[in-house]
Amino acid sequence: MTFYLHTYGCQMNVRDSEAAAALLVAAGHEPVAQERAADLVVVNSCSVRGKAEDKALGKLRLLVKSKRTHPGRLVGAMGCMVQRLGPALLDQVPGLDFAVGTRASRHLPPLVSAALAGAAGQLVLGTADDTDVPHGHLAATPSAYVTVLLGCNRRCAYCIVPEVRGPESSRPPRDIVAEVAARVADGVREVTLLGQSVLNYGRQGSDVWAGEPASPGGYREPFPRLIEAVSAIPGLARVRFTSGHPSGCSEELARAMAELAPVAPHLHLPVQSGSDAVLGRMRRGYTAAEYVAAVERLRQRVPDCAITTDIIVGFPGETESDFAATRALFEQVRFDNSFIFKYSPRPGTRAAEWPDDVPDAVKEHRNRVLLDDQDRIGLARNEAWVGRTTEVLAEGPSLRNPRRWSGRNGQGKIVVFAPVEGLQAGDCVRVRIERAKPQTLYGVIENRGMTS
Ligand code: 5AD
Ligand code: SF4
């Protein structure tokens, strides 16, 4: 069959979709670039906020309707929302051919075969001890995601992720290194190591490094050892990872980020709130001062390190003074970028038992205020790049202006520049920055950088 995958949600879902597509290809199906050309459409769903689920549900219902004009079409769902809703999903989307939960997507090809043979409304959910998840991939792009840590062991009061993605499980370092090396051999230049709380890598259960040679750099903690091992793979230009938590921002992590040349000077470190009262109710496990100390530890060793964050506004009980504390934290940390979300109660989480008492208009207002703060701070931080030269991994023609190219520097900032003759996606170029906007840097290529 020809197939098309729709992906909602985070990078983890993007990665899972790619691995699922690789499974379908291995089973003889053929990916197509447009949904309308597909005999099989699968929606990889997200549960993080109510709106994300509404989108996936709406899309699935439309797809089921589209069977009338596409005879023989199959429609399936996968991912976090499937795992959360279980059998209820089949009631909410009548006509769905199959649904497969997180950690269970290896069942995708047999579910498709059974659906072709006439089975309807099939459902397979993942279980906590399912660690045999697919890690296949499609053709190489300059940049690739590699999952290193499944699931999440934290119990943040607002978050559905531990329920839908199960407990933490670290992949063996050998498997990760082998996957990255294989991708580099195919032309990948940059990898992003993924985990919901990636710095927790190797901190659960038995020692993932048992039996492996000692770290050449003398690192003892499992995650710094992992980025050291990945950085040693020849031909890999850049190593990124996401997401962080202050408890993992050790002195050793800072040293590894400073010493390992391929490791990008960027950490996505969700803070969620600047108020200790709210952080406590969220069960984040740190105070605002501890968060700031973690950022300072990194900046001490890696002065150019970009820090980006996530914020939730309108968490139950968030007062004006709690919100003021978040704004004060913005002024103190001066994030390079932030992603701001309005609180959305998720059934089954602790916070969902408390009244969702911040009116939507207030959430909306706080959201706008923080976006404006971030724009001002982001612009000032980006303006500090004007006149400096930065190394950019070229990605391809810019979406806004196809005569320009765009890429990202080590800090993860989008850099737009005029291409030179023979430039290819995946090339590293040195760009002198001439102009800045809150989200983008603009410059000119200085010379063809270290590699091409
Ligand atoms: N409501 C709003 N935002 C949420 N996030 C996680 N759960 C919720 C929720 N219930 C946000 C957090 C997290 C990001 C991926 O999504 O900021 O870091
Ligand atoms: Fe990713 Fe969380 Fe959404 Fe699942 S629920 S796709 S883990 S953001």
Side-chain angles (χ1 to χ4, degrees), residues 361-441:
V362 175
K363 288 181 186 170
E364 187 59 47
H365 176 72
R366 290 179 185 170
N367 190 350
R368 303 230 127 252
V369 169
L370 282 183
L371 282 172
D372 287 349
D373 286 349
Q374 181 56 51
D375 259 17
R376 174 176 40 77
I377 294 166
L379 179 61
R381 284 188 72 81
N382 280 355
E383 278 173 343
W385 280 89
V386 173
R388 291 181 65 186
T389 295
T390 188
E391 188 154 290
V392 177
L393 185 74
E395 284 167 15
S398 146
L399 291 179
R400 291 237 176 104
N401 176 356
R403 278 169 310 168
R404 311 251 142 197
W405 272 48
S406 76
R408 283 177 192 266
N409 72 357
Q411 280 74 9
K413 293 184 187 280
I414 298 168
V415 181
V416 175
F417 53 94
V420 289
E421 190 69 28
L423 184 69
Q424 291 190 353
D427 286 352
C428 286
V429 289
R430 293 182 61 76
V431 175
R432 190 162 39 78
I433 303 304
E434 296 183 323
R435 196 158 60 84
K437 282 196 192 171
Q439 307 271 357
T440 319
L441 300 173

Side-chain angles (χ1 to χ4, degrees), residues 154-163 278-284 315-317 343-356:
R154 295 191 190 282
R155 283 288 175 271
C156 303
Y158 51 81
C159 190
I160 196 70
V161 169
E163 186 183 316
V278 173
L279 288 170
R281 286 203 301 283
M282 286 178 164
R283 309 189 164 216
R284 287 291 291 168
F315 187 76
Y343 172 69
S344 161
R346 309 308 300 129
T349 60
R350 233 194 134 79
E353 295 164 20
W354 307 328
D356 180 14

Side-chain angles (χ1 to χ4, degrees), residues 48-49 158-159 270 272 310-312 341-344 346:
V48 79
R49 282 169 290 277
Y158 51 81
C159 190
Q272 313 297 1
D310 290 343
I311 299 282
I312 296 176
F341 305 103
K342 292 187 282 178
Y343 172 69
S344 161
R346 309 308 300 129

